[in-house]
Each structure stands twice: as C-alpha cells, then as structure tokens.
Amino acid sequence: MYKRIRDLREDRDLTQKNMGKILNCSQRIYSNYECGDVDIPTQILIKLAEFHNTSIDYLLDMTDNKHPYPRKKIHLYKISFFI
C-alpha cells in the first residue's frame, strides 16, 4: 500500500510537504504514512483516493484497477413528522 501512495504522489511530481498541505497534516506525518510507520486514518485514505482519482481498494493494494468506483446517487425525500 505504501509504495502505491508514494508512486501516485511522485507521478504528480509532488513532494511529501505538498501532500501534507493537501491533507492538512505535516510533512513528517505524511512521511510516516508513506513509510508505513503509522496506520493511515480512514479520512486520510478517503482524501487520498479522491485526490488521486482512484479507489481506496487500489490504495490498499486490493486491486490493480486504478479507476474509482462509480458513485451512487442518493435521493433525499422530504419527510414530514407528526407530533
């Protein structure tokens, strides 16, 4: 997983410091993510997948398909409550 995250960053010619700014964390924390020294929080995985336009499964090395999954449309309906 960590190699994929590094490779995606390098493919965009970004530094760890750049990615830290994008993810709202320090370069050191981001470096820890890439090295596997700490587990990557779910919210950071989501941001990484969105930023790199890929799926979390790809980041976690569970698939070789880089393409993100299609998003489901959510329809919200007006609901009335009676008290």
Side-chain angles (χ1 to χ4, degrees), residues 4 8 10 23 30 34-35 40 44 46 51 54 60 79:
R4 285 205 170 165
L8 287 168
E10 290 176 346
L23 299 173
Y30 182 79
E34 272 193 13
C35 294
I40 302 173
I44 297 295
I46 292 168
F51 179 77
T54 191
L60 296 176
I79 300 174

Side-chain angles (χ1 to χ4, degrees), residues 10 15 62 79 82-83:
E10 290 176 346
T15 65
M62 296 178 70
I79 300 174
F82 297 96
I83 301 177

Side-chain angles (χ1 to χ4, degrees), residues 50-79:
E50 289 175 347
F51 179 77
H52 292 297
N53 194 33
T54 191
S55 68
I56 293 173
D57 283 352
Y58 179 78
L59 295 178
L60 296 176
D61 206 19
M62 296 178 70
T63 183
D64 289 329
N65 183 357
K66 279 188 175 184
H67 300 289
Y69 298 119
R71 292 186 171 236
K72 291 182 179 180
K73 289 184 180 179
I74 299 174
H75 300 282
L76 299 176
Y77 298 96
K78 187 174 181 179
I79 300 174

Side-chain angles (χ1 to χ4, degrees), residues 23-55:
L23 299 173
N24 200 27
C25 66
S26 69
Q27 178 273 328
R28 185 163 186 88
I29 289 172
Y30 182 79
S31 175
N32 288 336
Y33 295 154
E34 272 193 13
C35 294
D37 293 338
V38 296
D39 288 332
I40 302 173
T42 303
Q43 286 303 105
I44 297 295
L45 281 172
I46 292 168
K47 286 180 182 180
L48 283 167
E50 289 175 347
F51 179 77
H52 292 297
N53 194 33
T54 191
S55 68

